[in-house]
Amino acid sequence: MDITEAPKKQDKGKKKRTKKPKKGSADPQENGAGSAVEKTEAEKVDGSPGDAAFPPTFSVSEIKNKQRRHLMFMKFKQEKRKQKMQLKKKKKKEREALGDKAPPKEVPKTIENQRVYDETMVDPEDEEVAFDEGTDEFSAYFNRLTNPKVLITTSDRPRGRTVRFCEQLATVVPDSHVYYRRGLALKRVIPQCVARGFTYLMVINEDRKVPNGMVLCHLPDGPTAHFKISSVRLRKELKRRGKDPTEHSPEVILNNFGTRLGHSIGRLFAALFPHDPHFVGRQVATFHNQRDFIFFRYHRYIFKNEKRVGIQELGPRFTLKLRSLQKGTFDSKFGEYEWVLKRHEMDACRRKFHL
């Protein structure tokens, strides 16, 4: 073997090295890709991209981490509140600068003032309504021919909270008497009430030791209303309550019972109380209808001076929701119903109310 051939074999075993391109003479496509990579890396380090923090379709709900999601949501609410306050201050300054020439304030949109028009709204001057009021079941009370007398009872085997609720209702409604049910059916109770001169039968139902329903039956000819009770607060559960109510007959306030159905329910509540309130007692029973929920409050008002008046809540407080209105006295099998709540049909529109 010749000595001159050995280095040739060694050259064959070595790998060829690729030449690196110079900085100035690189491919334009490779340069563009490299610059994009450098930009994204720089954005990761800084934490602040060029245009926006999140993509335009980003939602806070897409964040998987619960704590991070809550933090981002709170920041979003704070920014929104700041913008709202700034806009409010700006409008206030403009109104002060314009003075009397300032445009009138915009009326805020609420569910109440956006209510769907109801054809059964009562006109006080309507002759048909006046005729119906003169011939309905409550005409004897409003003509001062009868005085209210109320029997309050419960469902079978009532618990302590329901019993205390009935006892406190008896202090709100004058001339009311609480009786134990003793397992009697309402069809047997009603004739006994009529024979003893009662004009109302009030039944408080309970579920899981909590009052959840009320049947209010006007005697002797009806009608009978069934309500759902919620948000019951007894006197001891109220903060800053006044002393226990006295035996004076309270004043009655009925708010927002505008339709024919609401008018009937309002007259049903009004006939619970005596005709002439005792203004010396300064006690007020309020039935406030809002979005078909009837809120009951019992207050005492106090004259602080000639211009200022304070109120004390006496309790109890609760909320009613009408489920049905039946003609005549209570009859769950063969009774004729004037109105029944069908939730999926009637409550489909949030701006339509029935009372």
Side-chain angles (χ1 to χ4, degrees):
M1 187 175 182
D2 200 3
I3 298 172
T4 57
E5 292 178 358
K8 290 181 181 178
K9 288 180 180 179
Q10 289 176 1
D11 293 340
K12 286 180 181 178
K14 290 180 181 180
K15 294 180 180 179
K16 292 183 180 180
R17 296 179 179 178
T18 56
K19 292 183 179 181
K20 293 182 180 180
K22 292 182 182 180
K23 293 181 180 180
S25 61
D27 192 7
Q29 294 180 356
E30 291 179 358
N31 268 345
S35 61
V37 173
E38 289 174 2
K39 282 182 182 178
T40 52
E41 288 180 355
E43 287 174 1
K44 284 181 182 179
V45 174
D46 296 341
S48 58
D51 296 334
F54 300 108
T57 58
F58 179 78
S59 176
V60 179
S61 59
E62 295 178 8
I63 300 174
K64 299 295 179 67
N65 189 303
K66 184 178 179 181
Q67 294 179 347
R68 183 68 179 171
R69 183 171 66 245
H70 178 70
L71 183 65
M72 296 299 295
F73 179 70
M74 294 305 293
K75 285 183 178 179
F76 172 73
K77 284 189 74 176
Q78 286 178 359
E79 290 176 3
K80 200 171 182 180
R81 195 179 296 115
K82 283 181 182 178
Q83 293 176 2
K84 191 175 180 180
M85 291 300 294
Q86 288 174 0
L87 184 63
K88 193 174 180 180
K89 288 179 181 178
K90 185 180 177 182
K91 287 184 177 180
K92 188 177 180 181
K93 287 181 180 179
E94 290 177 356
R95 291 184 65 83
E96 289 176 354
L98 292 172
D100 297 334
K101 297 180 181 179
K105 289 185 179 180
E106 296 179 357
V107 179
K109 289 184 179 180
T110 60
I111 295 180
E112 283 79 11
N113 60 26
Q114 298 293 315
R115 176 178 180 170
V116 176
Y117 176 73
D118 195 340
E119 296 178 353
T120 63
M121 291 297 289
V122 173
D123 185 5
E125 299 178 357
D126 192 352
E127 295 179 358
E128 183 182 353
V129 175
F131 177 77
D132 289 344
E133 288 180 358
T135 57
D136 66 357
E137 299 89 347
F138 308 106
S139 58
Y141 166 79
F142 285 100
N143 292 329
R144 295 177 176 266
L145 299 177
T146 60
N147 292 319
K149 187 179 178 182
V150 184
L151 185 143
I152 302 175
T153 186
T154 62
S155 55
D156 294 333
R157 298 175 184 176
R159 298 293 179 169
R161 185 175 176 82
T162 306
V163 173
R164 288 194 299 272
F165 180 57
C166 292
E167 290 173 352
Q168 293 184 13
L169 278 177
T171 61
V172 172
V173 182
D175 199 8
S176 57
H177 309 270
V178 181
Y179 285 95
Y180 185 62
R181 178 78 171 270
R182 297 181 182 178
L184 291 173
L186 287 182
K187 287 187 177 181
R188 293 183 60 188
V189 174
I190 289 172
Q192 296 179 18
C193 293
V194 175
R196 296 184 183 184
F198 286 98
T199 60
Y200 268 99
L201 173 64
M202 183 186 296
V203 184
I204 306 298
N205 297 318
E206 70 172 7
D207 182 32
R208 298 177 184 177
K209 304 179 184 180
V210 177
N212 74 327
M214 176 193 289
V215 176
L216 192 60
C217 180
H218 182 257
L219 303 175
D221 301 322
T224 302
H226 178 221
F227 299 93
K228 176 189 173 184
I229 299 182
S230 59
S231 306
V232 177
R233 300 284 296 275
L234 302 179
R235 288 195 180 113
K236 286 187 177 180
E237 299 168 0
L238 297 175
K239 294 181 180 179
R240 300 176 182 177
R241 66 182 180 91
K243 294 180 180 180
D244 291 342
T246 58
E247 295 181 358
H248 296 92
S249 299
E251 304 167 49
V252 182
I253 297 177
L254 302 169
N255 285 338
N256 300 335
F257 293 94
T259 62
R260 292 294 292 268
L261 176 64
H263 207 57
S264 300
I265 297 300
R267 287 169 68 83
L268 182 72
F269 287 134
L272 276 171
F273 298 89
H275 302 98
D276 300 318
H278 298 154
F279 296 103
V280 178
R282 296 175 283 110
Q283 296 176 160
V284 183
T286 305
F287 294 90
H288 176 75
N289 172 41
Q290 185 172 359
R291 303 180 189 179
D292 287 348
F293 287 93
I294 303 167
F295 300 93
F296 176 80
R297 298 292 183 269
Y298 196 56
H299 290 96
R300 178 187 290 122
Y301 55 89
I302 302 169
F303 294 103
K304 295 184 177 180
N305 52 41
E306 294 180 356
K307 294 183 179 180
R308 294 185 61 191
V309 177
I311 59 173
Q312 290 179 340
E313 187 171 0
L314 305 178
R317 69 162 68 164
F318 53 90
T319 305
L320 299 175
K321 175 79 171 177
L322 182 64
R323 292 300 187 199
S324 64
L325 183 65
Q326 180 182 353
K327 288 183 178 180
T329 55
F330 178 82
D331 189 355
S332 57
K333 288 186 178 180
F334 305 105
E336 182 182 354
Y337 287 89
E338 293 184 25
W339 185 86
V340 178
L341 175 65
K342 298 177 182 177
R343 291 178 57 195
H344 299 291
E345 296 179 14
M346 296 181 176
D347 293 346
C349 180
R350 293 182 62 195
R351 296 184 295 111
K352 187 174 183 179
F353 309 117
H354 307 284
L355 298 180

